[in-house]
Amino acid sequence: MNDLIIQNIQELILPQPIDKPLKGHELDKLKVIENGTVVIKDGKIFYSGPHSDDYEAKEMIDATGKVVSPALIDAHTHLIFGGSREHEMSLKRQGKSYLEILEAGGGILSTVKATREISEDELFKKAEHDLLTMVQHGVLTIESKSGYGLDKDNELKQLRVSHRLADKCDLDMKHPFLVFHTVPKEAKSNEAFSEDMINLLPEVKKYADFADIFSETDVFSIEESKRYMEKAKEAGFKVKIHADEIDPLGGLELAIDENAISANHLVASSEEGKARLKNSDTVAVLLPATTFYLDKNDYADARVMLNNGGAIAIATDYNPGSSVINNLQLAMAIAALKLKLSPNEVWNAVTVNAAKAIDSDAGTINEGDKANLVIWDLLNHEYILYHFGINHAQKVIKEGKVIVDNEFNID
């Protein structure tokens, strides 16, 4: 006997399993079945496809007028941090620059201070609240970076919290080591800090899935980033990079040269870098909610990347300073509006391509896959991008069990 049947599905979204990320025009191809059925047994998909009355189950959900998709994947977050920085919004409205805010005690170093001061249990409790908000909005696979400790003890604290969250919530989480996020105040020099953190790589390996670095003007140069990425690969890490967010330094080209699993931000990437994506499996993880939150006019040029045959994914970049958004649905809508992506491209960018950006096998609900899916209160799969700013996830199902039920009735 099967455990659960979801029947009468208005639209069933079935991204296809892929060995490599979808590139260029491939991203606009999405299998959408009208009047679909999903059958779940022992936490896995037993059948997903056109309507069928051939199955029986202990439980049935009538999804008339609903959309069903794989659970979403947020492929770039800074989930675990102490404190908050809402006071900086007034400074930004006054036209204060990032450096001026930093000099006034704000910016990333204020988050580093708060993260160092908070206990591990308090940090866990705070991050758990934010993580569960993501789950309530349909996300069951998350990348959770370190990067607000900037020393051995506090980076390991963040990574331990990330693993505790994955264990307690039983979620697929990836844990990049992003100690190269900025240079702490107490560092004698960039070079001394870099050497100390590179020496930490072997110890971090048991906690971290990837090595990540923020390559930007006045942070870490292309040369420093290249050295770190090569040392990380020698230590057995797959590598990632925050690249070309503000200035076109060549971070995307470096990511491609180093076979990075992903390059992130890419707002200012060069035409050469965008053209080279075609011959690379590096996924360009674009973060339009960050550009929106910072009130910038220039967004990453997703259309050129796709026209050049590149692979892209969409993520929130949830963090305390530049994208305080842990609702991937909102980032999806901004991607459609500002990156000019089609509905099919957006859905693939937060499922199968997002999975490739973090080396996860999530993102599909075909036979044999984990039954991680969402029942959406949507007229069709395009509607989530049209009616934005609210939570359309009606039920979130993890390995065949409903763990979030947002359906309610007022008598």
Side-chain angles (χ1 to χ4, degrees):
M1 178 70 72
N2 298 300
D3 298 314
L4 174 65
I5 293 176
I6 307 172
Q7 196 68 287
N8 305 318
I9 300 166
Q10 175 100 357
E11 286 190 353
L12 173 59
I13 299 174
L14 291 177
Q16 297 305 292
I18 52 176
D19 294 327
K20 295 184 177 182
L22 297 171
K23 294 183 177 182
H25 67 276
E26 295 174 338
L27 202 71
D28 202 27
K29 296 178 180 179
L30 183 68
K31 187 176 182 180
V32 180
I33 294 174
E34 295 183 1
N35 192 18
T37 295
V38 173
V39 181
I40 298 170
K41 183 176 182 179
D42 298 329
K44 295 184 179 295
I45 301 296
F46 190 76
Y47 170 82
S48 59
H51 178 86
S52 175
D53 292 319
D54 296 339
Y55 303 96
E56 295 181 351
K58 300 171 187 175
E59 182 182 357
M60 197 274 280
I61 295 176
D62 183 358
T64 298
K66 311 298 181 186
V67 172
V68 172
S69 81
L72 305 183
I73 299 166
D74 199 338
H76 183 127
T77 85
H78 303 255
L79 173 65
I80 299 164
F81 57 87
S84 61
R85 286 155 54 184
E86 64 276 8
H87 60 284
E88 292 180 15
M89 292 191 72
S90 61
L91 297 175
K92 291 174 182 176
R93 287 195 298 270
Q94 295 168 32
K96 300 291 185 183
S97 71
Y98 176 77
L99 288 178
E100 288 174 318
I101 293 172
L102 195 66
E103 289 169 1
I108 187 173
L109 292 179
S110 68
T111 298
V112 171
K113 182 175 184 293
T115 303
R116 289 177 174 183
E117 291 175 348
I118 194 172
S119 73
E120 186 168 321
D121 287 342
E122 291 172 320
L123 193 60
F124 175 87
K125 184 176 180 180
K126 182 178 186 298
E128 182 184 31
H129 176 272
D130 293 342
L131 174 61
L132 293 179
T133 298
M134 295 177 180
V135 173
Q136 288 167 349
H137 285 77
V139 172
L140 288 181
T141 303
I142 299 127
E143 184 194 71
S144 168
K145 302 177 187 289
S146 72
Y148 292 119
L150 305 187
D151 63 20
K152 174 182 174 179
D153 291 344
N154 288 289
E155 287 292 310
L156 289 176
K157 179 171 74 172
Q158 281 188 272
L159 290 168
R160 285 195 302 270
V161 166
S162 193
H163 279 275
R164 285 176 59 188
L165 287 169
D167 291 342
K168 180 178 178 182
C169 300
D170 193 22
L171 296 178
D172 180 9
M173 292 179 66
K174 300 292 184 175
H175 321 276
F177 178 51
L178 182 60
V179 71
F180 283 78
H181 201 181
T182 192
V183 178
K185 284 184 176 180
E186 69 272 12
K188 295 178 181 178
S189 66
N190 271 33
E191 293 75 15
F193 174 73
S194 296
E195 200 61 37
D196 286 345
M197 294 305 104
I198 285 172
N199 291 336
L200 189 57
L201 285 169
E203 186 171 349
V204 168
K205 187 67 178 67
K206 63 182 177 181
Y207 296 102
D209 299 287
F210 313 106
D212 202 344
I213 188 167
F214 184 28
S215 183
E216 190 53 77
T217 302
D218 297 327
V219 188
F220 295 103
S221 69
I222 291 296
E223 292 74 21
E224 289 170 324
S225 301
K226 177 180 176 66
R227 179 172 183 269
Y228 172 63
M229 293 170 83
E230 292 180 347
K231 289 291 186 181
K233 288 194 294 184
E234 289 174 9
F237 285 91
K238 293 182 179 180
V239 293
K240 292 173 164 280
I241 187 171
H242 290 55
D244 305 333
E245 180 178 2
I246 301 169
D247 294 322
L249 301 184
L252 178 53
E253 294 93 320
L254 176 62
I256 293 168
D257 288 342
E258 296 296 332
N259 295 312
I261 189 171
S262 72
N264 302 259
H265 287 290
L266 310 182
V267 175
S269 290
S270 70
E271 296 305 313
E272 177 188 352
K274 288 179 279 191
R276 288 184 57 195
L277 276 171
K278 179 179 182 179
N279 298 316
S280 168
D281 289 332
T282 296
V283 180
V285 179
L286 308 183
L287 310 168
T290 306
T291 309
F292 172 82
Y293 188 84
L294 293 174
D295 196 25
K296 302 291 186 181
N297 293 322
D298 294 328
Y299 285 76
D301 201 341
R303 289 263 51 99
V304 166
M305 293 177 190
L306 291 175
N307 291 341
N308 286 340
I312 69 167
I314 301 298
T316 60
D317 189 24
Y318 177 60
N319 74 80
S322 62
S323 185
V324 195
I325 299 170
N326 50 344
N327 174 3
L328 185 53
Q329 296 174 47
L330 179 55
M332 291 165 67
I334 298 172
L337 291 167
K338 296 297 187 179
L339 304 187
K340 312 302 182 186
L341 298 182
S342 73
N344 288 357
E345 289 170 336
V346 172
W347 279 104
N348 278 322
V350 295
T351 53
V352 287
N353 267 23
K356 293 304 176 188
I358 60 172
D359 198 21
S360 169
D361 62 359
T364 58
I365 45 172
N366 299 289
E367 182 179 345
D369 290 339
K370 287 183 180 180
N372 290 347
L373 50 89
V374 181
I375 300 176
W376 302 94
D377 188 14
L378 299 170
L379 300 175
N380 52 62
H381 73 288
E382 299 184 16
Y383 193 83
I384 195 170
L385 309 176
Y386 162 72
H387 187 179
F388 68 95
I390 67 167
N391 185 8
H392 292 283
Q394 187 178 84
K395 288 181 171 63
V396 180
I397 297 173
K398 181 185 173 299
E399 295 185 29
K401 304 293 185 183
V402 177
I403 62 170
V404 174
D405 191 343
N406 292 320
E407 187 172 13
F408 66 94
N409 296 292
I410 300 175
D411 295 327

